[in-house]
Amino acid sequence: MKLLHNCALAWIIGLLAAPLSFAQDPHSFSNPQQVLVRHLDLSLTADFKQRQLIGSATLDIERQVDDVEELVLDTRGLQVGLVETSDGQGWVPASFRLGEPDPVLGRALHIALPAVSRQVRINYASSPESTGLQWLEGRQTAGGRHPYLYSQAQAIHARSFIPLQDSPQVRVTFNATIFTPPALRAVMSAGNDPQAPRNGVYQFNMPQPIPSYLIALAVGDLDFKAMGERTGVYAEAAVLQAAAAEFEDTEAMLEQVEVMYGAYRWDRYDLLILPPSFPWGGMENPRLSFITPTVIAGDKSLVGLIAHELAHSWSGNTVTNATWQDTWLNEGFTTYLTYRILEAVYGRERADMERLLGYQSLLGDLADLPLPDQRLVPDLIGRDPDAGFTEIPYEKGALLVTELEQAVGREAFDAFLRQYFDQFAFRSLRTEEFVEFLEATLVARFPDKVTLGRLGEWLHEPGLPANVAVPTSPSFALVDEVRAQWLAGQLTVAQLDTSDWTVHQWLHFLNGMPARLSPAQMRALDARFQLTQSSNNEVAHSWLLLAIRNDYAPAWDRLRSYLVQVGRRKLIVPLYKAMLETDAGRARATGIFAAARPGYQAVAVSTVDNLFRAE
Ligand code: BES
Ligand code: ZN
């Protein structure tokens, strides 16, 4: 019954799943305008010895024009074996060729298509260096015994473990059979069964069509704990209880978004806790967000991350950016939704502090980034789309969305968002298409309040437009006052009353310090507040940044262990960058990176490599 239901659902959604129109995706070789992949069937063995996924991908294809002679897929570092096509009756070998490797895009795989073919099967193996996979040894995991594999497909890394049309305009449903060592459990961005016996074979079905960057797999010594009716956590036993306690509000968050923006369309919402090398804070893989363990702080202070990944179930996974130049449609709306969720679950004060922290990081990026990269819709042609992930699509995007909300009022704006998610559900959207939608809705209804001129400025000009409403927070104003008094010598550290400060206030306190503090000031702060030993990874990050800038030697051991332990880009990159500003720092950074590098995921390795090269 459930299966029948899923099939019917898949069929109905499948009809709607095409994008509005295909744009040329500058980050894909594929030709969906001519022949479109609709469904994917994976059969893969996770070979931990060889560090390879080995097996086959079977693609159901649909011709968009009559005279198509080839299917072009994206690959990177794949070893391609036998390729076959089928007309639905039987399989025949197909001729294929791999194009020249491109450093950003990988290699096109051209497969000749007989006129009657409806399916293509590619036998292949991923490379041990696959940029989308990380193979960890037991000692790099929380349990210390069993190996762990996880994938990270966004932006264009799916092609490094599956040959497919790797463009967010193309959505597929999928089935998968994953073979693992018998002690381990496999989970995917699909229906997961926590009761599935650990027997080395796992079956998955994803009935809703999703873009390739949301296809995800992890294999490890994973247990499950329910948090609510529709929410739960997969994690290694050593972190399972702590994670379930930290993220226990996930169900309430889910309920709140449904109240604001309509029903959750993806059945369950579970979390997977990754090892600390996971290069991102979180990744919104449908039904199963991938989450860094660095946000398990013990006090729910960093659960904004969960709100963010959950919000992507609407903005991102239901309505998707068509190309990586339209990322702000995913991340800007999601950042706005994140603050709305925090406000609904924890109140206005918490939300405003996080809004202001976000705005401050945006100012940091605006000070650093070249002008063209400050546009909401950047030019990423010929560039690695991972480079577009600055605070611009996130926080500048959220400021634009907030401005629209404030122009028309919350009630009208929430209704607009609901309509947006309904109208474009399971579709991929370009910025121009969003602008047309806005024109037909809010601009038509509120012509004095929402104008295309202002919108164009937001989308295509660097910096921020004039008169942007800046977030404010009384809790931060208080911190500013205390910090100023301490810096002016009017208060000693002993007189700083921080007893009821939140983690966000601490972050604001540290981030707002002047470029230089004296050794005595650094020592005094550390002695009173044990900042070098802070167990909150964000606070530790802000403190270590100050330590580097002020040459505060007592923090060096912690700096090293932090950078060897944590592989999350956002936490490590600013620390390396700061070290590279001085000769002594460069020597320290070189030593630490040599020790840390083997534990980092490919994307983090290449980001840090580039920093060393750039200086
Ligand atoms: N989708 C992103 C992560 C991502 C971005 C992966 C670009 C690959 C390429 C995810 O939703 C995200 O934005 N994560 C942030 C969370 C933060 C803004 C709360 C992160 O990882 O820091
Ligand atoms: Zn995001």
Side-chain angles (χ1 to χ4, degrees), residues 152 154 280-282 284 305 308-309 312 331 389 394 568:
Q152 168 53 46
Q154 195 183 4
W280 299 97
E284 65 271 27
L305 177 81
H308 180 101
E309 304 314 334
H312 271 308
E331 299 299 347
F389 282 86
Y394 289 80
R568 180 177 169 193

Side-chain angles (χ1 to χ4, degrees), residues 133-153:
L133 299 177
Q134 189 173 30
W135 301 87
L136 293 167
E137 291 169 23
R139 61 182 171 77
Q140 296 169 303
T141 67
R145 273 183 355 110
H146 293 283
Y148 201 123
L149 161 69
Y150 66 82
S151 69
Q152 168 53 46

